[in-house]
Amino acid sequence: MNYVVIGNSAAAVGCVEGIRKVDATGAITLISDESHRAYSRPLISYWLSGKVDDERMYYRNEDFYEKNHVKTLLGVRVTALDAAAKTVTLSDGTVLPYDSLMVATGSRPFVPPIAGVQDCPQAVTFLDWDSARRLKGMVNKKSRVVVLGAGLIGLKVTEGLAGHVAGITVVEMAAHLMPSVLDDDSAAMLQRHIEKNGVSFIYEDPAAKVSGNLLTLGSGRELAFDVLVLAAGVRPNVELVRDAGGTVNRGIIVNSFMQTSLPDVYAAGDCVEAMDVVSGARKIMALLPNAYMQGEAAGKTMAGAPEGFEKSMPMNAIGFFGMPLCTAGDYDGEAYVKIEEDSFKKLFFKDDRLVGYILISDVDRAGIYTALIREKVDLKGVDLELLRQRPQLMLFSNKADRKRIVAGGSITQ
Amino acid sequence: MKKVFAIEEFCLACHLCEYNCAFSHSGMKDMVKAYKSGFQPARIQVEESGEINFALNCRHCSDPVCMKACITGSISRGEDGVIRVDTNKCVGCWTCVMTCPYGAVVRGRGDRKVALKCDLCTESGNTPACVEGCPNRALVFEERGDD
Ligand SMILES: Cc1cc2nc3c(=O)[nH]c(=O)nc-3n(C[C@H](O)[C@H](O)[C@H](O)COP(=O)(O)OP(=O)(O)OC[C@H]3O[C@@H](n4cnc5c(N)ncnc54)[C@H](O)[C@@H]3O)c2cc1C
């Protein structure tokens, strides 16, 4: 078997590990346009702030490729996929045949169509290690920084720069920060906390024009900057599959085995649209746990031990300036709310199931809530008061169930 | 592999397992001193309702979701089957806390907060401290042949 993997991040590493669980000897060639060995993308903001050094950036040990007998082609791009001939073409002109192909191409920054932004030398994106390096070289203690976008990446770059620059203003189109992850109450709490660290926010006033060192917003308001960070979202890298005739919506369409519509072509991670187990809708869930698990399941299937993966779901564990938060699932349902001075809990219930949560500060044992959501555990007969108090396995009042789970059994019924 | 199992009928919720766990991972010789210096939290936790009590720590799952979900690659399984956190690499994002279905990964305290979990006391080479010190034999360390 001749496997080719495009990408070298979470989904690609998952794929390699999945293949090797089944097939110890098949040839694996891994290609990535980034020249680093696999590193953790979410750590680039930690690296920017100096909290994590080069050595601690790597996602796997140095001997990962050798141990897994992976041939790497780093710093080369795949420019075309021919699904009929079963080959990929590389930027250096090489044509590589494959028996089974993994497309784990992730996403790239979306550059918003703002007049003048393309020609602005101080406008940068923030998505990979090299972009973090570039940004680090551009800022100093006197820099006035404007960040466009208050999503996960915008706030992470803000945290990474805070204390290293003169001031940061975050400009967000929506009415509150992290609009796709938090509701307005939780966003307000997080905002108060971030503001204490010398960051200011502007909402519902989209950027309109960049000229020189001046950003003009829709309202006419002007912001002077030394560095402008574009964190207005990402776009999945779907072109290889789309141009080869594969089915693509916003992301690459895959089934639960992570197969694309092209024979022997699989895709996983930030470039795909997968089924959200909670809402039942297809969506891009650009998060590392999903990327790894999708990649791993695909790898096993590619190697001949088919494993469906139907557990993708939105879930975030992140912290800003020492305030941790965990969120998961859907916020459509009856809410249990407990908001205190600096802690926050919302649990969302629907049809006798827990379907989502937002937790700030006290996130201990949140995984029990996540499992109840992921496994769609029927909560009829469960002591809901215990469930609301805190995540605990005590809520399983049936002794046999509880003993089985506590011993390491699955939470599924 | 051998793991720690709770027998809820015997558990008195005395929490000694938690103290012993925290102490044995403190690297200190004297419990009082270690306690005063501020323990890291125990990697085993007692759930108690008055009637029902049991202690719970890492199940060293055959399909460990914490390890797959870890955003930094700090969680791995050793040759001995034990799942460990590389606390040098961990940045305390709590993705493992968010994904462990048993709630068995705990948040460390201090300046550099890292994820902490049961390592079956493999560093000391002894029987897990929680089991060793349980006064009512509500914890056992045994092979149940499930994986
Ligand atoms: C600052 C930041 C913070 C984040 N924080 C979190 C977090 O806390 N929790 C979380 O769950 N997620 C977080 N994420 C998201 C997480 O990083 C992604 O979900 C994850 O990296 C997706 O992995 P992937 O393998 O699908 O794709 P990617 O990591 O995007 O990797 C794709 C790789 O493929 C390469 N590639 C693409 N096209 C080609 C081609 N044609 N030829 C060759 N190579 C190609 C790319 O260069 C890249 O190296 C964060 C992301 C960022 C940027």
Side-chain angles (χ1 to χ4, degrees):
Chain A
M1 200 62 168
N2 173 25
Y3 307 94
V4 171
V5 178
I6 312 174
N8 187 19
S9 189
V13 168
C15 178
V16 167
E17 293 181 343
I19 292 172
R20 285 293 177 242
K21 281 196 179 128
V22 181
D23 177 353
T25 56
I28 303 179
T29 306
L30 177 145
I31 308 155
S32 176
D33 56 3
E34 285 190 81
S35 47
H36 310 283
R37 68 176 224 257
Y39 64 91
S40 162
R41 284 240 166 149
L43 289 185
I44 62 173
S45 65
Y46 294 78
W47 181 88
L48 181 66
S49 70
K51 283 199 192 111
V52 162
D53 59 15
D54 285 11
E55 237 359 86
R56 288 165 62 209
M57 282 295 284
Y58 296 103
Y59 186 51
R60 288 294 181 266
N61 291 337
E62 203 164 359
D63 60 4
F64 171 76
Y65 304 102
E66 198 188 304
K67 262 192 161 161
N68 287 292
H69 310 291
V70 177
K71 181 180 170 199
T72 55
L73 300 172
L74 303 183
V76 225
R77 242 189 114 63
V78 176
T79 53
L81 157 61
D82 185 335
K86 294 183 108 174
T87 59
V88 292
T89 305
L90 312 188
S91 47
D92 62 9
T94 317
V95 176
L96 275 185
Y98 64 81
D99 297 321
S100 188
L101 177 71
M102 162 53 68
V103 179
T105 47
S107 51
R108 62 172 174 277
F110 167 66
V111 177
I114 301 165
V117 82
Q118 300 283 357
D119 311 315
C120 176
Q122 296 99 317
V124 292
T125 57
F126 186 73
L127 197 73
D128 53 21
W129 198 352
D130 291 344
S131 64
R133 203 176 290 276
R134 191 159 57 239
L135 178 57
K136 199 171 199 163
M138 286 169 69
V139 294
N140 59 44
K141 282 272 180 204
K142 292 189 189 138
S143 308
R144 294 159 301 172
V145 179
V146 172
V147 176
L148 290 189
L152 168 67
I153 296 175
L155 294 185
K156 272 293 170 193
V157 71
T158 297
E159 181 185 50
L161 287 173
H164 299 282
V165 297
I168 307 174
T169 305
V170 182
V171 177
E172 167 59 49
M173 274 201 316
H176 61 73
L177 53 74
M178 297 195 87
S180 57
V181 174
L182 298 180
D183 64 358
D184 48 0
D185 293 341
S186 49
M189 181 175 286
L190 180 60
Q191 175 179 330
R192 282 198 301 278
H193 180 69
I194 296 179
E195 279 171 344
K196 286 185 204 142
N197 294 278
V199 177
S200 47
F201 290 89
I202 298 172
Y203 296 107
E204 295 183 280
D205 197 357
K209 194 178 83 182
V210 177
S211 83
N213 279 18
L214 215 55
L215 173 72
T216 310
L217 305 182
S219 64
R221 182 170 175 178
E222 292 184 330
L223 297 172
F225 63 84
D226 300 302
V227 175
L228 178 65
V229 185
L230 307 172
V234 296
R235 290 290 175 269
N237 291 319
V238 301
E239 291 74 12
L240 287 175
V241 170
R242 191 191 61 204
D243 297 347
T247 308
V248 163
N249 186 28
R250 280 199 59 215
I252 299 168
I253 302 289
V254 289
N255 63 16
S256 62
F257 294 96
M258 310 315 292
Q259 288 163 320
T260 69
S261 64
L262 302 170
D264 300 311
V265 178
Y266 295 74
D270 285 12
C271 61
V272 307
E273 261 176 49
M275 185 77 85
D276 167 6
V277 65
V278 188
S279 68
R282 292 198 152 280
K283 48 172 117 140
I284 299 176
M285 287 165 279
L287 294 160
L288 195 138
N290 289 326
Y292 179 88
M293 292 189 259
Q294 292 171 356
E296 192 205 24
K300 289 182 186 166
T301 304
M302 290 163 74
E307 183 174 293
F309 182 69
E310 285 166 341
K311 297 199 169 161
S312 301
M313 64 185 259
M315 54 174 175
N316 286 278
I318 22 172
F320 298 101
F321 301 101
M323 179 182 261
L325 54 106
C326 286
T327 68
D330 241 24
Y331 311 148
D332 168 25
E334 193 188 322
Y336 165 77
V337 183
K338 192 171 175 210
I339 303 176
E340 286 168 11
E341 176 68 23
D342 56 2
S343 83
F344 185 103
K345 177 180 218 165
K346 275 193 190 179
L347 303 176
F348 299 89
F349 296 90
K350 196 176 180 182
D351 304 332
D352 291 313
R353 289 184 166 78
L354 182 67
V355 293
Y357 65 75
I358 301 174
L359 303 173
I360 300 182
S361 290
D362 184 2
V363 301
D364 288 334
R365 308 192 81 193
I368 294 176
Y369 286 156
T370 309
L372 294 173
I373 298 171
R374 180 173 277 200
E375 306 300 341
K376 302 187 176 182
V377 174
D378 187 344
L379 298 175
K380 273 198 283 304
V382 153
D383 187 340
L384 285 183
E385 187 42 41
L386 291 177
L387 178 73
R388 290 186 208 110
Q389 270 172 18
R390 71 183 77 91
Q392 50 188 326
L393 296 179
M394 188 70 81
L395 61 90
F396 291 97
S397 49
N398 177 301
K399 186 170 177 177
D401 272 349
R402 182 175 64 245
K403 287 179 83 166
R404 182 182 55 76
I405 295 166
V406 169
S410 159
I411 206 165
T412 46
Q413 286 144 322
Chain B
M1 69 185 277
K2 279 169 98 173
K3 297 179 193 172
V4 175
F5 293 97
I7 304 170
E8 66 173 52
E9 290 83 351
F10 293 172
C11 180
L12 308 167
C14 71
H15 297 266
L16 259 180
C17 52
E18 296 175 349
Y19 286 101
N20 285 320
C21 173
F23 176 51
S24 84
H25 288 94
S26 70
M28 298 177 90
K29 295 238 151 41
D30 182 284
M31 191 160 202
V32 177
K33 267 195 201 142
Y35 188 67
K36 285 189 176 151
S37 74
F39 274 157
Q40 286 291 339
R43 300 132 192 253
I44 185 164
Q45 301 164 78
V46 175
E47 286 195 22
E48 56 180 304
S49 73
E51 281 161 53
I52 305 162
N53 315 303
F54 54 86
L56 182 67
N57 58 6
C58 174
R59 301 292 86 212
H60 300 278
C61 302
S62 53
D63 189 28
V65 63
C66 62
M67 182 172 112
K68 296 180 182 191
C70 176
I71 64 166
T72 61
S74 303
I75 305 182
S76 59
R77 187 196 289 283
E79 302 276 313
D80 53 3
V82 176
I83 296 173
R84 297 182 178 83
V85 180
D86 178 347
T87 52
N88 178 45
K89 264 180 92 170
C90 175
V91 295
C93 75
W94 316 131
T95 300
C96 48
V97 173
M98 171 181 69
T99 52
C100 171
Y102 303 99
V105 186
V106 301
R107 295 191 288 150
R109 294 188 280 252
D111 294 340
R112 248 199 87 228
K113 298 178 179 59
V114 294
L116 301 173
K117 64 179 289 304
C118 165
D119 57 0
L120 294 174
C121 289
T122 38
E123 213 144 290
S124 69
N126 302 325
T127 308
C130 56
V131 175
E132 194 71 18
C134 179
N136 212 34
R137 300 200 184 159
L139 288 169
V140 292
F141 184 48
E142 63 188 29
E143 170 84 54
R144 288 196 179 170
D146 49 351
D147 54 31

